[in-house]
């Protein structure tokens, strides 16, 4: 005898038609209800997919009291028969035998109404925005991308390493770190010369939230050959832009025996893999976002509209090789470009050596090449101490990948594996060697050429979803002045 409780079926499964004619239980949240004396139509969603399932209910059978408690946002459990749908729009619907209201949602106070809300409004209501079509689609895609990242590296024999979130060194951060402390801020212990006495702190020294897992990742690559980290990183830079978060997730592979070109090959292959994965596995959600973006575009002046739709952009990146040019070549292109000559850039390019601003990156990608671009061999002055010094004495083996609509999506380099060159650069840049003794040890014992890069996961999400603001592709964004929820 089978007396187990009947299990609920997800809406995703109900839409597939295989359960037509069966009695099922479905649970979820009400999107809309339309009712008259004879019949009620309830559209409900359980987050398993973008589609709602329609519940058809006979008021005489379900009861007016129950129907009264069903409004937008309420949670319900429905028992009934899955039937082929009469109306257009969906393949199946449920003829309700009974409905239980699990949780009512006071229509006077529930903030989501069956209409389009602005993204700003939804950001202020981030606790509830998961229940909208747009954010449902975004965060299902986010899950798929996380899964695809692990699959990509696993298929290629990379090992995932958890690097620390609390770090005792600020090697890369240069002051852009968040401090971690248990000291009483109202009564900070001081040393004899009046400085904060971190010996009294939890770790007996200064500690910060990590800005990158790279340095620890390099240690693991010196044993496993190919590793990657995928973790949260924290930067206290005060940039309130649509591309920056104070807390973001980063994928950082690190490969022994890789030179810069191998590094670029892997990064390009990975980005194309992730985009292909989304196209194959997130079809319904992407089609919804594609339409959404097209609608938004219609409201813009002609010259600000995107040349390609979201799906077209994804197909394009999947199918086309990225352009690879050196920083020096890029500067030449920019110097001779129309916006530079006509002084349209906010930061004019007049010489070799300055860092590129996002307006320059986007010009190269969106106007000049109309393709993703990998820039390599940057001036050493604008890059980190650990990047491998080129023979010209001026540049390092760095590479950044620039994407349309986004600018920098990946930053990486071949690493300086030669101890004397590395320590030389550290002295020039005033980076204390004592603190990084463990990092320098890898260059003393079995040092090898190696490379790696960092992909900003939310920048990838911006590209894949076509959203314009990075606050909309992470569930709970942290930005200057904002850490609600
Ligand atoms: O270029 P970044 O600073 O490189 C590193 O951190 C290296 N340690 C990576 C490595 O070689 N292992 O950051 C890498 C990427 C950027 O290209 C960008 O996509 C993203 O991280 N990123 C941010 N994303 C969101 N908000 C921010 N504040 C970001 N800063 C960097
Ligand atoms: Mg960078």
């Amino acid at each position: 005898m089978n007396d187990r409780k009947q299990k609920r079926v997800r809406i995703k499964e109900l839409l597939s038609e295989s359960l037509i004619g069966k009695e099922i239980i479905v649970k979820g949240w009400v999107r809309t209800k339309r009712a008259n004396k004879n019949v009620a139509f309830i559209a409900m969603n359980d987050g398993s997919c973008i589609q709602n399932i329609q519940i058809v209910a006979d008021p005489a059978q379900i009861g007016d009291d129950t129907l009264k408690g069903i409004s937008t946002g309420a949670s319900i459990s429905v028992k009934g028969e899955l039937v082929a749908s009469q109306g257009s729009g969906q393949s199946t619907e449920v003829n309700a035998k009974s409905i239980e209201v699990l949780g009512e949602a006071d229509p006077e106070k529930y903030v989501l109404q069956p209409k389009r809300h602005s993204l700003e409004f939804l950001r202020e209501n981030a606790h509830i925005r998961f229940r909208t079509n747009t954010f449902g689609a975004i965060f299902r895609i986010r899950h798929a991308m996380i899964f695809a990242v692990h699959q990509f590296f696993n298929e290629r024999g990379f090992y995932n390493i958890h690097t620390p979130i609390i770090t005792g060194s600020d090697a890369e951060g240069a002051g852009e770190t968040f401090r971690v402390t248990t000291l009483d801020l109202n009564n900070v212990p001081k040393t004899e010369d009046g400085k904060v006495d971190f010996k009294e702190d939890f770790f007996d020294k200064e500690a910060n939230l990590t800005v990158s897992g790279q340095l620890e990742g390099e240690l693991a690559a010196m044993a496993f050959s190919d590793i990657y980290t995928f973790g949260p990183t924290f930067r206290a830079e005060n940039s309130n832009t649509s591309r920056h978060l104070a807390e973001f997730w980063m994928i950082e592979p690190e490969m022994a025996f890789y030179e810069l070109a191998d590094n670029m090959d892997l990064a390009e292959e990975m980005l194309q893999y992730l985009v292909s994965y989304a196209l194959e596995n997130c079809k319904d959600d992407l089609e919804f976002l594609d339409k959404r973006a097209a609608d938004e575009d219609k409201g813009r002046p002609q010259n600000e509209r995107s040349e390609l739709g979201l799906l077209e952009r994804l197909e394009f990146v999947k199918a086309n090789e990225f352009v690879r040019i050196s920083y020096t070549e890029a500067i030449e292109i920019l110097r001779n470009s129309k916006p530079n000559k006509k002084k349209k850039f906010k930061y004019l390019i007049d010489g070799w050596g300055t860092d590129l601003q996002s307006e320059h990156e986007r010009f190269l990608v969106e106007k000049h090449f109309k393709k993703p671009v990998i820039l390599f061999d940057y001036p050493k002055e604008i890059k980190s101490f650990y990047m491998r010094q080129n023979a010209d004495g001026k540049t390092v083996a760095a590479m950044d990948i620039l994407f349309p609509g986004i600018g920098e999506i990946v930053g990486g380099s071949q690493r300086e594996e030669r101890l004397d060159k590395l320590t030389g650069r550290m002295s020039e840049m005033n980076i204390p060697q004592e603190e990084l003794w463990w990092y320098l040890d890898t260059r003393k014992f079995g040092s090898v050429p190696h490379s790696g890069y960092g992909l900003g996961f939310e920048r990838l999400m911006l590209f894949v979803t076509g959203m314009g603001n990075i606050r909309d592709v992470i569930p709970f964004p942290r930005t200057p002045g904002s850490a609600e929820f």
Side-chain angles (χ1 to χ4, degrees), residues 75-193:
S75 49
I76 57 175
S77 171
V78 180
K79 196 175 201 162
E81 188 193 345
L82 189 73
V83 297
S85 178
Q86 311 297 313
S88 60
Q90 61 274 317
S91 51
T92 57
E93 58 191 31
V94 176
N95 279 338
K97 293 214 166 75
S98 65
I99 300 181
E100 185 191 345
V101 178
L102 302 173
E104 292 189 8
D106 184 345
E108 304 284 311
K109 298 197 178 119
Y110 187 60
V111 294
L112 290 185
Q113 295 304 318
K115 62 160 196 179
R116 183 169 280 189
H117 296 281
S118 76
L119 293 172
E120 293 75 21
F121 175 82
L122 292 171
R123 239 169 263 149
E124 284 158 20
N125 290 283
H127 59 307
I128 226 130
R129 70 178 177 170
F130 289 126
R131 292 191 195 177
T132 63
N133 283 333
T134 299
F135 288 95
I138 291 169
F139 293 120
R140 276 186 297 273
I141 294 171
R142 190 175 162 112
H143 162 81
M145 291 294 89
I146 294 167
F147 185 81
V149 164
H150 288 295
Q151 184 167 289
F152 174 83
F153 287 114
N154 190 53
E155 282 172 355
R156 283 157 187 75
F158 282 61
Y159 292 109
N160 179 237
I161 298 288
H162 284 158
T163 50
I165 290 169
I166 300 174
T167 61
S169 66
D170 173 20
E172 275 201 85
E176 290 180 347
T177 52
F178 289 99
R179 158 100 5 106
V180 175
T181 180
T182 53
L183 292 179
D184 178 358
L185 294 185
N186 289 313
N187 187 16
V188 177
K190 294 276 174 66
T191 58
E192 272 172 15
D193 51 359

Side-chain angles (χ1 to χ4, degrees), residues 383 400 408 411:
K383 289 292 184 185
D400 277 5
E408 179 189 338

Side-chain angles (χ1 to χ4, degrees), residues 438-458:
W438 43 272
Y439 185 71
L440 292 173
D441 259 11
T442 56
R443 272 65 170 174
K444 293 179 187 162
F445 308 107
S447 189
V448 296
H450 62 290
S451 303
Y453 61 82
L455 165 67
F457 186 59
E458 285 75 21

Side-chain angles (χ1 to χ4, degrees), residues 12-83:
K12 194 175 176 179
E13 221 177 307
L14 294 181
L15 296 172
S16 75
E17 299 180 30
S18 60
L19 293 172
I20 283 182
K22 298 256 161 44
E23 187 184 89
I24 54 91
I25 293 176
V26 59
K27 303 184 185 190
W29 293 267
V30 174
R31 288 290 176 85
T32 57
K33 182 184 76 174
R34 289 179 292 130
N36 60 34
K37 265 188 284 169
N38 305 316
V39 64
F41 296 103
I42 302 157
M44 67 184 276
N45 187 283
D46 66 0
S48 59
C49 58
I50 193 146
Q51 289 89 353
N52 299 329
I53 189 112
Q54 170 155 278
I55 311 295
V56 185
D58 174 359
Q61 187 177 2
I62 300 304
D64 284 336
D65 273 359
T66 303
L67 280 180
K68 226 186 284 162
I70 298 175
S71 59
T72 300
S75 49
I76 57 175
S77 171
V78 180
K79 196 175 201 162
E81 188 193 345
L82 189 73
V83 297

